[in-house]
Amino acid sequence: MALLTILHYPDERLHKVARPVGAVDERIRQLIDDMAETMYECSGIGLAATQVNVHERVVVIDVSEEKSALTAFVNPEILERRGDTVYEEGCLSVPGIYDKVHRSEWVRVRALDRNGEPFEIETDGLLAICIQHEIDHLDGKVFVDYLSQLKQSRIKAKMKKREKHTL
C-alpha cells in the first residue's frame, strides 16, 4: 500500500468530473487500498479518487469511531434523497476549513464493492452526509462551492497563502 498525495483547493483538478470505472480489477482494488491508507493517515472519514488526482468514480468511507467499517463505493449513484439537514463539513482537500452545508438527510445509493459486486444502501446521518460529499468530488464539486462568493474568495486566499508558506 502507498500513501497518496491529496490535492488542495483551489487546485483546478478538483473540479474535473470523474469517469465511470469500466471493471473492478486489481488496479482498482489497489487504488481502494491506497486511498483507505491515505484517508486513515490523514484522520479523514471519506476520500474520493478525484482528491488524489485519479479521475475515476471511486470513493472510500469509514465513519466508525474504531475505523473498522471501511466501505468502498465504485461508480456510486444516488437513487433517492429525502429530507434536508445542515452539517458542518470539513475536507481533506481544504484542510482546517469548516462550514455549514445543506444536504439531504437520507439517501439511497447504488454502487459496486471492491469485488465488483453491486450493492445498495439506505442511510442517514453522518454516512449520508459523507456519501453526498464524496460523490460531489467525483462530480467536480468541493464543499466550498456551496458557500457564498465572499467565503469562497477568503478560503482561496487563505489556502494559497498557506501553500506559499509550505513550499
Side-chain angles (χ1 to χ4, degrees):
M1 293 203 292
L3 289 177
L4 304 172
T5 301
I6 296 175
L7 300 176
H8 290 131
Y9 182 81
D11 192 310
E12 282 302 313
R13 294 172 290 182
L14 288 168
H15 295 291
K16 188 172 181 181
V17 176
R19 67 184 177 279
V21 171
V24 179
D25 55 16
E26 193 51 45
R27 181 183 67 81
I28 294 298
R29 283 188 284 280
Q30 184 63 57
L31 175 63
I32 289 167
D33 292 343
D34 292 345
M35 287 173 58
E37 182 179 2
T38 303
M39 176 188 72
Y40 289 133
E41 179 68 25
C42 296
S43 300
I45 60 171
L47 187 66
T50 301
Q51 294 176 269
V52 294
N53 202 28
V54 176
H55 302 284
E56 294 181 89
R57 298 188 77 78
V58 178
V59 166
V60 294
I61 295 175
D62 186 347
V63 297
S64 70
E65 290 289 324
E66 309 79 29
K67 301 301 176 205
S68 60
L70 180 70
T71 305
F73 296 81
V74 178
N75 297 334
E77 60 179 311
I78 296 174
L79 302 174
E80 190 178 350
R81 302 171 182 262
R82 287 192 208 138
D84 293 305
T85 190
V86 177
Y87 194 85
E88 186 169 77
E89 296 185 21
C91 181
L92 295 176
S93 290
V94 195
I97 304 294
Y98 301 88
D99 214 315
K100 292 182 174 135
V101 178
H102 291 266
R103 299 269 185 201
S104 298
E105 186 174 50
W106 175 94
V107 293
R108 183 167 60 97
V109 178
R110 176 175 43 213
L112 302 175
D113 67 15
R114 67 175 290 116
N115 298 313
E117 296 297 320
F119 71 97
E120 280 189 23
I121 64 165
E122 296 178 8
T123 189
D124 59 6
L126 183 57
L127 181 56
I129 299 293
C130 193
I131 289 170
Q132 293 170 81
H133 177 110
E134 299 308 332
I135 290 175
D136 272 355
H137 278 299
L138 300 180
D139 294 335
K141 202 167 190 178
V142 181
F143 89 94
V144 173
D145 296 338
Y146 288 99
L147 308 178
S148 71
Q149 287 293 344
L150 177 62
K151 283 186 179 182
Q152 288 180 40
S153 296
R154 286 180 177 168
I155 292 168
K156 274 183 191 172
K158 188 174 193 175
M159 295 301 294
K160 285 180 180 178
K161 184 177 180 183
R162 188 180 295 166
E163 189 176 305
K164 282 182 187 175
H165 291 309
T166 59
L167 294 179

